[in-house]
Amino acid sequence: QVQLVESGGGLVQAGGSLRLSCVASRSIFSINTMGWYRQVPGKQRELVAVFTSGDSTNYADSVKGRFTISRDNAKNTVYLQMNSLKPEDTAVYYCNAVLVVPGGDMDYWGKGTLVTVSS
């Protein structure tokens, strides 16, 4: 029901910035939650930042003060502004959307965009 396409990843030096974008195939007004996760090889996918119902946000402790999630409803797009990047931020970043429907949640993922932060 929802296709998600991420972009904006790349190679950046420590201390630099990147802005990730996630374009959804439907109005994000109709999506209960949208956010960003990341995954490093050998580790589980972890939450980075998310919008929840009521426009509340939640950030991983490791990115608070450095990353900002935002959205443009007219463009069906969610962004992740990543500042003061650290090598530890290197990961594949995935856009996530959750639809709450009777019987349970429906979870959708983009294919990911790679962020590499060099020392």
Side-chain angles (χ1 to χ4, degrees), residues 3-119:
Q3 285 78 240
L4 305 170
V5 180
E6 305 101 330
S7 63
L11 175 64
V12 65
Q13 290 186 328
S17 298
L18 286 172
R19 187 196 192 200
L20 306 183
S21 299
C22 172
V23 180
S25 63
R26 63 187 292 174
S27 173
I28 59 178
F29 283 120
S30 66
I31 302 173
N32 295 99
T33 69
M34 290 196 71
W36 292 92
Y37 288 69
R38 66 187 181 187
Q39 188 169 28
V40 177
K43 297 185 65 177
Q44 289 188 319
R45 193 169 299 184
E46 65 176 352
L47 173 72
V48 177
V50 63
F51 280 111
T52 60
S53 297
D55 291 331
S56 297
T57 57
N58 186 275
Y59 293 90
D61 288 341
S62 60
V63 307
K64 286 181 179 178
R66 300 189 297 119
F67 292 9
T68 303
I69 188 170
S70 62
R71 61 190 177 196
D72 185 335
N73 294 329
K75 296 181 178 180
N76 294 345
T77 301
V78 174
Y79 303 95
L80 184 67
Q81 180 65 46
M82 309 164 64
N83 297 328
S84 302
L85 283 161
K86 304 175 180 179
E88 306 91 87
D89 297 317
T90 296
V92 177
Y93 285 71
Y94 296 90
C95 185
N96 170 250
V98 178
L99 299 180
V100 178
V101 298
D105 296 346
M106 299 185 69
D107 204 35
Y108 301 91
W109 297 92
K111 294 182 178 180
T113 185
L114 177 63
V115 172
T116 303
V117 184
S118 63
S119 300

